[in-house]
Amino acid sequence: MNPNVDSFLDKAKNWQDEAAALRKLLIVCGLTEEFKWRAPCYTFQGANIIILHLFKEYCALGFFKGALLQDEHQILSKPGENSQSVRMAKFTGLKEIVKMKSVLKAYIYEAIEVENAGLKVALTQSKNLIFPEELQQILDQNPRFKKAFENLTPGRQRAYNLYFSAPKQSATRTARVEKYMQQILNGKGINDCTCGLSKKMPQCDGSHKQFK
């Protein structure tokens, strides 16, 4: 057991019993306990397999390649509408975890097998995105900005594109691109915080300033 995880769980306000049960199950299944992105992360031979999240409304296991799991019992869901790879199993009580122990073990072992087999999620690339005219013009006019945008992960590109495309007014779309230009040049996503985490993650309290 990783001492950083001990400290994390000791300070947790919610889901301590549920987290302890999930933690024990993950370790029993042969995963190595690490502490990444300010959360317990479980790896196998150096590869990220599962991350343990403690939200206000529930606790959850996030399977990094959950999209490749069969999900026979239909317990996995996308953490966001545009999530391609990660899938989450959410829990709201200890009894629920105890009852699903054998099912969860099967899912964990399947996730390990997926990693051992070298399987990868086929991510949608940015070339499949339809950019608003204002973004495309700036990309064409600014090679440095274009390179920085293309170097972002597909998920970050999609998030920016959705945000830039939303306004009905052209001037607003242009203003949004200009506002986040430096953040993109810094290699950061639209929700990234100065602490290095997504502002949507529970470990980020949202008090940090966004990149300017």
Side-chain angles (χ1 to χ4, degrees):
M1 292 186 176
N2 190 303
N4 289 324
V5 176
D6 289 331
S7 178
F8 172 80
L9 295 180
D10 286 342
K11 296 177 182 178
K13 296 180 180 179
N14 301 316
W15 313 114
Q16 286 188 330
D17 292 339
E18 290 79 3
L22 291 171
R23 180 190 194 189
K24 181 178 180 180
L25 184 62
L26 291 161
I27 294 176
V28 166
C29 288
L31 296 178
T32 299
E33 185 175 70
E34 300 185 33
F35 194 72
K36 300 181 180 182
W37 306 289
R38 299 186 183 184
C41 185
Y42 297 84
T43 66
F44 186 79
Q45 296 180 355
N48 296 324
I49 305 296
I50 295 170
I51 190 166
L52 175 59
H53 288 303
L54 304 183
F55 295 95
K56 291 181 180 180
E57 297 81 10
Y58 56 84
C59 60
L61 294 180
F63 292 79
F64 282 90
K65 293 184 178 180
L68 299 179
L69 302 183
Q70 295 182 17
D71 194 16
E72 180 181 352
H73 297 273
Q74 299 293 299
I75 65 172
L76 301 180
S77 61
K78 290 184 177 182
E81 181 181 351
N82 298 293
S83 299
Q84 295 191 67
S85 183
V86 176
R87 297 292 184 270
M88 296 177 67
K90 302 177 182 179
F91 311 97
T92 57
L94 181 58
K95 290 182 179 180
E96 183 182 6
I97 295 171
V98 173
K99 183 178 180 179
M100 295 178 62
K101 182 177 179 180
S102 60
V103 171
L104 292 175
K105 274 190 174 182
Y107 274 59
I108 295 168
Y109 286 134
E110 184 183 358
I112 294 173
E113 291 174 3
V114 164
E115 189 60 42
N116 278 336
L119 302 181
K120 297 183 181 298
V121 178
L123 300 175
T124 302
Q125 300 301 315
S126 60
K127 63 182 180 180
N128 295 327
L129 297 176
I130 300 176
F131 296 144
E133 181 180 354
E134 296 76 12
L135 173 59
Q136 189 61 61
Q137 287 178 350
I138 296 176
L139 289 170
D140 293 340
Q141 295 169 2
N142 190 328
R144 179 167 169 257
F145 176 68
K146 181 178 181 180
K147 182 178 180 180
F149 190 87
E150 292 175 344
N151 285 338
L152 295 173
T153 62
R156 284 173 170 168
Q157 291 180 27
R158 289 193 307 277
Y160 274 121
N161 193 54
L162 286 170
Y163 181 70
F164 295 155
S165 301
K168 295 181 179 180
Q169 299 294 325
S170 176
T172 307
R173 292 194 292 269
T174 299
R176 286 191 174 189
V177 177
E178 292 175 347
K179 177 181 178 181
Y180 283 93
M181 183 175 290
Q182 188 57 54
Q183 186 157 321
I184 291 171
L185 290 171
N186 290 339
K188 303 301 179 181
I190 193 169
N191 292 308
D192 286 353
C193 197
T194 52
C195 65
L197 297 173
S198 167
K199 294 178 74 177
K200 293 184 177 181
M201 293 182 68
Q203 292 78 23
C204 175
D205 60 14
S207 63
H208 310 283
K209 293 181 180 178
Q210 224 173 4
F211 283 93
K212 300 293 185 181

